Amino acid sequence: MRVGVLTGGGDCPGLNAVIRAVVRKGVQGYGYDFVGFRDGWRGPLEGDTVTLDIQAVRGILPRGGTILGSSRTNPLKSQDGIRRVKENLAKEEVDALIAIGGEDTLGVAARLSSEYGIRCVGVPKTIDNDLSATDYTFGFDTAVNIATEAIDRLHTTAESHMRVLVVEVMGRHAGWIALHSGLAGGANVILIPEQRFDVDQICAWVESRFKIRYAPIVVVAEGAMPKGGDAVLKDGTLDSFGHVRLSGIGEWLAKEIEKRTGKEARTTVLGHVQRGGTPSAFDRWLATRFGLHAIDAVRDEDYGKMVALRGTDIVRVPLTEATARLKTVDLSLYAEAEVFFG
């Protein structure tokens, strides 16, 4: 048995832990051979490979990023792309493919499996934690910890200068990072994509904090939108999966707060810091378990499935189910956080 492995989409702490677990158990437990495809779906599309063996995965457990590289390449944009993927998998004598990624990467795997007969197993990866079929995805815990630490540090500088500090975190369609880190970090306002916000209300909360000599922290997800407005975009370009590039809601909001309240406001955009560097202990544990169970699915020839966390158990769910809808913040959870606003 020869198994291909790829990592697609944005990089994320824990990817290397999955690769390590897949290879270690696959080689030592089942006698499989492995080939890594570079840069997500670009690897199978262009036949760009690297050998994966025990030596290749030594020491990578605590490393961030991915030793295989990643990209947002979409091989389904043309029939020629599908043909090239199939030809390159055949050329490399790949019997099964483990795709590690988020909604887009796994969406490709689901279609290749169900429509084109390519034997795929999926591993969920997104720091946004927005895949509905799994309770948690690895990388999320690390991102929340990084954002929380940043908020903790910003409290002191906000108080020293009596400024409003707006912290922009990741979260295109789901506000899980904003909600968790904002609540853990004691933010005074948390804004998420699932609930449009009223700028006047935010300004009222800000001014109420200044009345008691306390400088407010506002945490905003990149995909949050004001009432009657649209998402703030970096530019008008789209990636290969049709997503616009979000950027700037934090800066826009800081200017609005400053203009309406007369209080000095500054923005901190955490950006890629949230998904770089060493994964947390939880993310190493979860990613390792996902890898072990993914190679078990290959052994069982249980293709077209994704491994998922349900409670403390790792289960298998159809790839089509895993990518059918996003997991967004329940507004009842958001209401809990609203107790601390203002």
Side-chain angles (χ1 to χ4, degrees):
M1 171 74 79
R2 185 167 168 83
V3 181
V5 182
L6 65 82
T7 55
D11 68 295
C12 161
L15 282 167
N16 286 324
V18 179
I19 298 167
R20 170 181 175 267
V22 164
V23 173
R24 285 286 295 271
K25 187 168 188 179
V27 172
Q28 295 173 185
Y30 304 135
Y32 294 165
D33 292 323
F34 289 88
V35 57
F37 289 98
R38 295 184 185 274
D39 304 333
W41 288 109
R42 187 190 69 79
L45 192 63
E46 300 180 5
D48 191 356
T49 65
V50 60
T51 300
L52 280 181
D53 54 22
I54 297 293
Q55 182 60 38
V57 300
R58 282 203 172 102
I60 68 172
L61 175 63
R63 286 176 56 184
T66 164
I67 61 170
L68 295 177
S70 191
S71 74
R72 298 190 185 278
T73 303
N74 184 0
L76 299 180
K77 293 185 74 173
S78 69
Q79 284 295 322
D80 182 61
I82 298 166
R83 176 188 60 79
R84 288 162 61 191
V85 167
K86 295 182 74 172
E87 286 181 355
N88 285 321
L89 290 177
K91 179 181 177 182
E92 292 293 332
E93 300 181 327
V94 170
D95 300 298
L97 182 65
I98 294 177
I100 310 165
E103 175 194 11
D104 296 325
T105 301
L106 297 182
V108 171
R111 286 195 57 192
L112 291 178
S113 178
S114 62
E115 298 178 26
Y116 301 101
I118 295 175
R119 299 191 288 185
C120 294
V121 169
V123 175
K125 178 263 351 164
T126 166
I127 66 166
D128 287 348
N129 197 41
D130 59 1
L131 283 174
S132 61
T134 184
D135 289 350
Y136 286 98
T137 52
F138 62 87
F140 172 69
D141 184 69
T142 303
V144 168
N145 286 338
I146 291 169
T148 301
E149 181 180 354
I151 296 165
D152 286 345
R153 291 175 179 274
L154 289 170
H155 274 292
T156 56
T157 192
E159 292 168 13
S160 297
H161 296 277
M162 291 305 291
R163 291 171 176 160
V164 183
L165 283 182
V166 179
V167 185
E168 182 182 317
V169 300
M170 287 184 171
R172 174 181 290 272
H173 300 296
W176 293 109
I177 294 176
L179 180 64
H180 281 237
S181 64
L183 197 57
N188 306 111
V189 183
I190 302 169
L191 306 175
I192 60 175
E194 294 87 344
Q195 179 73 59
R196 286 182 176 264
F197 60 85
D198 184 336
V199 179
D200 287 333
Q201 177 62 72
I202 293 169
C203 290
W205 284 326
V206 164
E207 290 179 320
S208 73
R209 301 308 290 176
F210 277 111
K211 288 178 181 177
I212 57 172
R213 298 288 300 171
Y214 188 90
I217 301 283
V218 178
V219 175
V220 56
E222 62 185 344
M225 292 183 285
K227 291 180 178 178
D230 297 315
V232 178
L233 309 180
K234 186 177 182 66
D235 51 45
T237 60
L238 304 177
D239 66 18
S240 61
F241 289 93
H243 301 310
V244 295
R245 299 172 66 191
L246 297 176
S247 178
I249 185 62
E251 187 64 30
W252 179 87
L253 183 59
K255 289 178 180 178
E256 287 295 314
I257 291 172
E258 193 166 280
K259 180 174 67 176
R260 299 184 189 206
T261 67
K263 305 297 184 182
E264 190 176 4
R266 293 288 184 271
T267 307
T268 297
V269 181
L270 296 185
H272 292 84
V273 170
Q274 294 159 91
R275 65 157 156 241
T278 301
S280 67
F282 177 84
D283 282 339
R284 298 184 201 190
W285 170 85
L286 180 58
T288 296
R289 292 190 70 202
F290 276 164
L292 296 175
H293 284 261
I295 198 62
D296 284 348
V298 171
R299 176 204 58 187
D300 297 341
E301 298 185 356
D302 196 7
Y303 302 118
K305 299 291 181 63
M306 181 192 84
V307 293
L309 180 68
R310 299 280 177 84
T312 58
D313 296 329
I314 306 295
V315 300
R316 300 172 193 168
V317 297
L319 276 167
T320 50
E321 174 188 330
T323 57
R325 64 181 180 86
L326 291 177
K327 179 178 67 181
T328 54
V329 173
D330 188 315
L331 293 184
S332 66
L333 295 176
Y334 186 63
E336 294 175 356
E338 287 181 316
V339 171
F340 302 99
F341 291 6

